[in-house]
């Protein structure tokens, strides 16, 4: 009977021969090249000598390999559909081994036996990734004795390490140094507003003058506009404080009419012996308005990078300050602009995840404090996932204000029907709606 050692040796030789039949022996290469593009293969070892396994894998990969005498031990492994080089690295790792390039050969040795002279220096020039950003990632796969530096001028990494780690870094950079897809973010900000206001007013008054037993009495209105001249010709026939006869009004509650707004009708009811005159003026105003504002900012950025675009005005404001009894002034600015900022991320299922912020601010010159307009702001912040090219509504703001107002003479304005001679009444209804639409699109390479 054959001994166990002989049987073990024959089994190892048979395994190596089988691998040689599956993978024809390639021509000798002039230099060592790691071919990661070969078809995946499967293999299984049980209690096989490490040297025989390395020789079999080296022959299949077309490598010129030198294995030191200190390399010993047995391995048991089952690999399925793996790359030859991945298999090589896995076998070395299980036994604490590494390899060093010597010309066109690979020399396998223990990691503890490796010296500084065995380390390789290679320059990795990057075409798309930033070398400074990649440095922290590469630092996690290098060996403890490795040295890595950044050449910002060439956008390159200079790595000095053992050949096994150099090749590992090369495969990592091949996956990281790729062109990043770009995303176009289009936003449409639609603002629709409508307003309605109506006001009705009345003005009336007159004058009565008479005498009795040598005594003279006169009754006339007591309200008039500033600068009006009773009995003169300087009066405003629309909403002034005097009537057509030149007398002051007793009830002066006009609507807010004027040039380009509303209308008024004035009547003077005769004079009897020059003693009595009566002025009546009715005024009414109604305004209706509709508006639509469309803003369409667009911004493009690469995947996972923030992009920001803004358009607007800066309002200069003079600020006074006193220090030590000396007053000085400086100019500060208040920004009123439309801002779109976003960070898009393309997911594995080709959708687009976004962190997006839209803000629209504009000056309101109708509301000023010390001649400085207030700033009206509308903004929306959201995180959402959208299909490529799909339009979604980021948000909407509906603002509506309505009300009625009434002013008049106490008590008299409450008399049915006749009360209209002693009051004015108005109503308003204002509405505005803001809608924000977002459309992300992955740009074709």
């Amino acid at each position: 009977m054959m001994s166990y050692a002989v049987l073990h040796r024959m089994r190892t030789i048979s395994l190596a021969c089988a691998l040689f039949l599956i993978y024809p022996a390639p021509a000798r290469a002039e230099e060592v090249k790691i071919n990661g593009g070969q078809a995946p293969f499967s293999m299984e070892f049980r209690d096989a000598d490490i040297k025989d396994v390395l020789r079999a894998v080296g022959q299949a990969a077309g490598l010129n390999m030198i294995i030191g005498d200190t390399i010993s031990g047995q391995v048991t492994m089952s690999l399925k559909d793996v790359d030859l080089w991945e298999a090589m690295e896995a076998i070395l790792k299980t036994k604490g081994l590494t390899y060093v390039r010597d010309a066109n050969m690979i020399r396998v040795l223990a990691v503890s036996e490796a010296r500084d002279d065995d380390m390789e220096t290679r320059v990795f020039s990057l075409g798309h990734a930033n070398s400074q950003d990649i440095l922290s990632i590469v630092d996690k796969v290098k060996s403890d004795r490795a040295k890595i530096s950044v050449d910002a001028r060439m956008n390159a990494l200079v790595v000095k390490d053992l050949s096994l780690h150099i090749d590992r870094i090369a495969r990592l950079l091949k996956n990281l140094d790729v062109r990043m897809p770009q995303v176009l973010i289009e936003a449409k900000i639609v603002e629709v507003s409508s307003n309605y206001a109506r006001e009705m007013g009345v003005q009336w008054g007159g004058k009565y003058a008479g005498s009795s037993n040598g005594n003279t009495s006169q009754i006339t209105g007591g309200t008039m506009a500033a600068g009006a001249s009773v009995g003169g010709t300087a009066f405003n026939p629309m909403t002034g404080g005097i009537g057509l006869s030149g007398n002051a009004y007793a009830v002066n509650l006009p609507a807010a009419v004027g040039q380009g707004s509303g209308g008024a009708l004035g009547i003077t009811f005769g004079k009897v012996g020059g003693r009595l005159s009566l002025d009546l003026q009715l005024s009414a105003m109604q305004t209706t308005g509709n508006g639509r504002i469309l803003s369409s900012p667009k911004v493009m950025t690469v995947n996972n990078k923030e992009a920001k675009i803004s358009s607007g005005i800066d309002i200069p404001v003079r600020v006074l300050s006193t220090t030590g009894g000396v007053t000085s002034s400086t100019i500060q600015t208040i920004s009123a602009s439309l801002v779109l900022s976003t960070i898009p991320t393309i997911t594995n299922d080709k959708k687009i995840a976004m962190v997006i912020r839209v803000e629209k601010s504009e000056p309101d010159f109708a509301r000023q404090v010390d001649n400085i307009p207030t700033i009206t702001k509308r903004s929306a912040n959201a995180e959402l996932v959208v299909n490529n090219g799909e339009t979604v509504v980021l948000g909407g703001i509906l603002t509506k204000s309505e009300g009625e107002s009434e002013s008049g003479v106490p008590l008299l304005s409450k008399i049915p029907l006749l009360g209209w001679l002693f009051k004015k009444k108005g109503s308003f209804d204002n509405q505005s709606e803001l809608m924000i639409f977002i459309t992300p699109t992955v740009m074709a390479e």
Side-chain angles (χ1 to χ4, degrees), residues 183 344-347 350-354 384-386 388 440-442:
V183 182
T345 301
I346 302 175
T347 62
K350 304 304 180 183
K351 294 184 179 182
I352 303 172
M354 293 184 295
L384 62 159
V385 179
V386 186
N388 182 26
T441 305
V442 179

Side-chain angles (χ1 to χ4, degrees), residues 213-266:
N213 299 325
N215 297 322
T216 301
S217 60
Q218 179 175 307
I219 301 175
T220 185
T223 64
M224 62 180 180
S229 176
V230 177
T233 59
F235 65 90
N236 187 336
M238 292 288 286
T239 57
I242 58 177
L244 295 175
S245 64
N247 297 309
Y249 286 125
V251 176
N252 188 16
L253 299 170
V257 300
Q259 185 176 358
S261 176
L265 176 64

Side-chain angles (χ1 to χ4, degrees), residues 85-113:
W85 188 248
E86 292 177 353
M88 176 76 168
E89 186 172 331
I91 294 171
L92 294 176
K93 189 175 180 180
T94 57
K95 292 298 181 179
L97 304 176
T98 186
Y99 62 82
V100 175
R101 285 188 176 83
D102 286 332
N104 65 335
M105 298 174 292
I106 281 184
R107 180 162 50 91
V108 179
L109 70 162
V111 175
S112 58
E113 298 176 356

Side-chain angles (χ1 to χ4, degrees), residues 313 315 334-337 359-365 367 372-378:
I313 60 173
I315 304 172
I334 300 175
S335 179
S337 57
E359 180 178 298
K360 183 179 182 182
S361 57
E362 54 189 358
D364 186 356
F365 290 96
R367 302 175 183 177
I372 301 174
T374 58
I375 304 297
T376 302
K377 290 186 177 182
R378 298 178 179 87

Side-chain angles (χ1 to χ4, degrees), residues 51-364:
K51 292 182 179 180
D52 295 333
V53 174
L54 289 175
R55 280 195 294 267
V57 175
Q59 286 291 333
L63 301 176
N64 297 323
M65 186 178 297
I66 299 176
I67 304 174
D69 294 335
T70 59
I71 306 301
S72 62
Q74 294 179 332
V75 293
T76 299
M77 61 176 58
S78 178
L79 302 177
K80 183 177 182 180
D81 296 333
V82 296
D83 180 87
L84 277 172
W85 188 248
E86 292 177 353
M88 176 76 168
E89 186 172 331
I91 294 171
L92 294 176
K93 189 175 180 180
T94 57
K95 292 298 181 179
L97 304 176
T98 186
Y99 62 82
V100 175
R101 285 188 176 83
D102 286 332
N104 65 335
M105 298 174 292
I106 281 184
R107 180 162 50 91
V108 179
L109 70 162
V111 175
S112 58
E113 298 176 356
R115 299 170 299 178
D116 290 343
D117 294 341
D118 295 326
M119 299 179 72
E120 175 186 350
T121 300
R122 191 182 302 183
V123 178
F124 295 96
S125 297
L126 304 179
H128 302 285
N130 183 277
S131 56
Q132 193 65 48
D133 296 338
I134 293 294
L135 178 60
S136 59
I137 302 175
V138 174
D139 191 62
K140 297 178 180 179
V141 298
K142 68 178 181 61
S143 66
D144 295 337
R145 64 178 71 181
K147 297 179 180 179
I148 303 177
S149 59
V150 174
D151 187 340
R153 180 179 57 88
M154 296 181 57
N155 190 34
L157 292 177
V158 182
V159 182
K160 183 178 181 181
D161 203 346
L162 295 172
S163 299
L164 184 145
H165 294 277
I166 289 283
D167 291 333
R168 184 183 299 171
I169 292 173
R171 294 194 298 272
L172 175 64
L173 292 179
K174 183 179 180 180
N175 294 327
L176 294 179
D177 187 28
V178 295
R179 181 179 178 181
M180 299 295 290
Q182 300 183 95
V183 182
L184 174 66
I185 309 296
E186 299 181 77
K188 292 188 181 297
I189 304 174
V190 182
E191 187 173 2
V192 180
S193 61
S194 62
N195 59 79
Y196 169 81
R198 183 180 64 181
E199 196 172 76
M200 299 183 65
V202 63
Q203 296 168 282
W204 63 269
K207 179 181 178 181
Y208 171 79
S211 60
S212 175
N213 299 325
N215 297 322
T216 301
S217 60
Q218 179 175 307
I219 301 175
T220 185
T223 64
M224 62 180 180
S229 176
V230 177
T233 59
F235 65 90
N236 187 336
M238 292 288 286
T239 57
I242 58 177
L244 295 175
S245 64
N247 297 309
Y249 286 125
V251 176
N252 188 16
L253 299 170
V257 300
Q259 185 176 358
S261 176
L265 176 64
I267 303 174
T268 296
F269 293 91
K271 297 182 179 180
V272 180
R275 293 183 177 182
L276 176 63
S277 62
L278 180 63
D279 295 319
L280 175 64
Q281 182 167 278
L282 302 177
S283 57
M285 181 275 298
Q286 178 175 308
T287 59
T288 302
N290 294 284
R292 183 173 181 266
I293 301 175
L294 174 62
S295 303
S296 183
K298 300 179 182 179
V299 64
M300 181 182 293
T301 183
V302 297
N303 189 32
N304 284 325
K305 292 292 184 180
E306 182 181 11
K308 184 177 181 180
I309 186 173
S310 63
S311 175
I313 60 173
D314 288 336
I315 304 172
V317 177
R318 185 183 299 275
V319 179
L320 299 177
S321 60
T322 302
T323 304
V326 179
T327 302
S328 60
S329 63
T330 58
I331 301 298
Q332 296 182 359
T333 58
I334 300 175
S335 179
S337 57
L338 173 64
V339 180
L340 169 64
S341 63
T342 179
I343 303 177
T345 301
I346 302 175
T347 62
N348 293 332
D349 55 357
K350 304 304 180 183
K351 294 184 179 182
I352 303 172
M354 293 184 295
V355 178
I356 193 164
R357 176 177 178 268
V358 181
E359 180 178 298
K360 183 179 182 182
S361 57
E362 54 189 358
D364 186 356

